[in-house]
Amino acid sequence: MKKGIALLLAAVTAGTALLPASASSGSSAKSKDTGVTINVYNWGEYISNGTDGTLDVNAEFTKRTGIRVNYTTYDTNESLYSKLAGGGAEYDVIFPSDYMVSKLSEEGMLEKLDFQNIPNFQYIDRKFRNPKYDPQNAYSVPYTWGVVGIFYNKKYVKKEETESWDVLWNKKYAGKILMFDNPRDAFGIAQKRLGYSYNTTDVNEWEAAATLLKEQKPLVQAYVMDQIFDKMDSGEAWLAPYYAGDAATLVGENPNIGFTIPTKEGTNFFVDAACIPKGSKHKSAAEAYINFLCDPQISAANLSYIGYSTPESAAKKLLPKEVTDNPIYYPPQSILDKSEVFVNLPDKTNTLIDSLWAEVKMGGTGDTLTLVLVLCGFLALYLAIVVFKWRKRKKEME
């Protein structure tokens, strides 16, 4: 997830280039080095980095505040959780998705935010405040939002076929289909095809979705995340579900690639949010970073690069009309009405999902290596959680 050098945006409007300039114009003075460095852990390619004259968000933050940024990336919510649960990493700002915000806060793995240090929260639209995954907005500030759709190669796949998730089970595209390499998104597509909620706790419904994914597996070329960019761009794959914010990259770079939000069954509406993990050594500096990201000028410049949608009307007004009127980035209400948000599920259901996902990944012939890797992954995660909880209990007893 989440790559998006907004070539399309740059193509449709050279005016976008004005955003970085205006975003940085109010801060010509360079702040004195505070000696503080915050560790920021984000999705891959999920921040404007100064490429092609765009705003270098982290550099601008350092320039304005004197706080340095050590920036690293991850590729799934589950890998983020595993890293945090392991307890060995020290981060100050992370960007989990909705259901993962809920999971982390319920497990005591997030710091409560001091909104006195985040006055730019005022720019977050009311419809993005107090969400189900963080009802009191105690732990998170929305960073981006979007929906899931289907990338397709126009040379081989008709657009109307992609209006339903059924196309990902079409045998004529065997070997040319990619699927998400994370359980919530992969199961979610199967669940929508079956007419179930993403957030069901019905064992039979999860098992039915797993059966559907197992049926699909012989048609799947690979389970991937950001690798879809190379595979779709090269023509190695023709169909791939992914996040709408990334449409700018593929559609802008390759005229043979299209993107559709399936309207027949509905799709996932997601929000990624900025949070501070428990134990942050630089909490006030982390809150200053989150506040900086909420500045409408910064948000507009940042999101014009990464291609995702902003939760701020003030920032949206600064984006090109070609972008804000594009239904891929800002879908009409009719699509949003058929969309559903992931929520954190009970431990019992999460355990079931892990087990069923392992079955899906190890299914088929000649997949011994996959089985071994999946089992090792679950074992490593289990041990990490045990160690994390042991350390947490030890700290509480001290």
Side-chain angles (χ1 to χ4, degrees):
M1 182 175 181
K2 316 215 174 176
K3 177 181 180 181
I5 298 173
L7 297 181
L8 174 62
L9 305 183
V12 297
T13 171
T16 304
L18 295 175
L19 287 170
S22 59
S24 59
S25 60
S27 58
S28 55
K30 184 177 180 180
S31 295
K32 184 179 178 182
D33 189 346
T34 61
V36 173
T37 298
I38 58 172
N39 294 313
V40 177
Y41 199 36
N42 199 355
W43 297 88
E45 304 290 349
Y46 210 31
I47 199 164
S48 182
N49 61 9
T51 302
D52 298 329
T54 57
L55 178 68
D56 186 331
V57 170
N58 288 333
E60 183 66 19
F61 173 72
T62 299
K63 177 182 172 185
R64 292 192 187 188
T65 64
I67 300 168
R68 297 182 182 275
V69 179
N70 177 34
Y71 190 86
T72 53
T73 64
Y74 56 90
D75 59 358
T76 67
N77 281 296
E78 286 67 30
S79 62
L80 166 66
Y81 177 79
S82 179
K83 200 71 174 288
L84 294 176
E90 296 180 350
Y91 299 112
D92 298 297
V93 183
I94 56 175
F95 296 84
S97 301
D98 32 47
Y99 72 97
M100 189 54 68
V101 173
S102 178
K103 181 178 178 66
L104 292 172
S105 62
E106 289 176 10
E107 296 186 12
M109 297 170 70
L110 296 179
E111 296 280 359
K112 281 194 173 182
L113 301 177
D114 181 353
F115 283 87
Q116 294 293 321
N117 295 331
I118 314 175
N120 286 336
F121 183 77
Q122 66 177 304
Y123 296 113
I124 300 295
D125 291 352
R126 293 198 173 278
K127 64 182 178 181
F128 288 98
R129 298 185 189 184
N130 305 317
K132 287 184 179 179
Y133 60 84
D134 184 13
Q136 304 302 318
N137 255 142
Y139 300 99
S140 65
V141 172
Y143 179 59
T144 64
W145 64 273
V147 296
V148 172
I150 299 174
F151 285 104
Y152 64 99
N153 191 312
K154 297 177 185 175
K155 292 167 65 177
Y156 309 106
V157 183
K158 295 179 180 177
K159 183 179 187 299
E160 50 268 30
E161 292 181 278
T162 61
E163 293 174 356
S164 167
W165 297 112
D166 288 350
V167 71
L168 299 178
W169 274 260
N170 193 325
K171 292 180 180 178
K172 71 179 179 180
Y173 299 124
K176 297 296 182 183
I177 298 170
L178 303 176
M179 271 299 276
F180 279 112
D181 192 19
N182 75 72
R184 283 308 293 268
D185 281 317
F187 272 102
I189 291 171
Q191 288 168 313
K192 276 300 159 205
R193 192 167 179 240
L194 291 166
Y196 301 152
S197 167
Y198 293 134
N199 304 309
T200 180
T201 55
D202 187 313
V203 173
N204 293 329
E205 291 185 354
W206 281 100
E207 290 179 342
T211 298
L212 198 57
L213 291 175
K214 291 174 189 175
E215 292 175 2
Q216 183 202 34
K217 183 166 184 183
L219 311 179
V220 174
Q221 180 187 114
Y223 294 90
V224 297
M225 294 301 292
D226 281 352
Q227 299 95 322
I228 82 151
F229 296 96
D230 291 337
K231 286 181 174 290
M232 287 296 298
D233 191 45
S234 67
E236 185 179 351
W238 298 347
L239 284 159
Y242 221 59
Y243 310 103
D246 292 298
T249 301
L250 279 171
V251 173
E253 288 180 339
N254 190 333
N256 291 325
I257 296 177
F259 183 85
T260 304
I261 301 171
T263 53
K264 181 180 176 183
E265 302 95 347
T267 187
N268 171 227
F269 170 89
F270 61 83
V271 175
D272 293 331
C275 301
I276 299 178
K278 200 77 174 179
S280 165
K281 293 183 178 178
H282 306 290
K283 185 169 180 285
S284 60
E287 287 166 343
Y289 185 77
I290 294 172
N291 186 60
F292 175 74
L293 295 178
C294 291
D295 181 315
Q297 290 275 352
I298 300 301
S299 177
N302 189 24
L303 271 61
S304 72
Y305 174 82
I306 66 176
Y308 281 75
S309 307
T310 176
E312 299 180 12
S313 294
K316 186 178 177 182
K317 289 177 181 176
L318 299 174
L319 293 170
K321 194 172 176 59
E322 291 87 342
V323 174
T324 56
D325 286 351
N326 190 322
I328 291 176
Y329 310 114
Y330 294 92
Q333 193 59 43
S334 58
I335 288 180
L336 296 179
D337 287 344
K338 294 191 73 173
S339 302
E340 186 179 5
V341 178
F342 291 142
V343 300
N344 187 33
L345 298 167
D347 288 345
K348 187 177 180 181
T349 304
N350 284 323
T351 301
L352 174 65
I353 295 170
D354 289 342
S355 174
L356 292 174
W357 182 239
E359 288 181 17
V360 171
K361 294 294 293 289
M362 74 183 186
T365 59
D367 258 336
T368 303
L369 178 60
T370 300
L371 171 61
V372 171
L373 292 174
V374 170
L375 292 178
C376 286
F378 282 129
L379 178 60
L381 177 59
Y382 173 76
L383 291 175
I385 293 172
V386 169
V387 172
F388 171 76
K389 290 185 175 179
W390 176 76
R391 288 180 174 174
K392 186 179 177 185
R393 283 199 298 272
K394 187 179 178 182
K395 281 186 177 179
E396 290 172 349
M397 293 174 64
E398 289 175 351

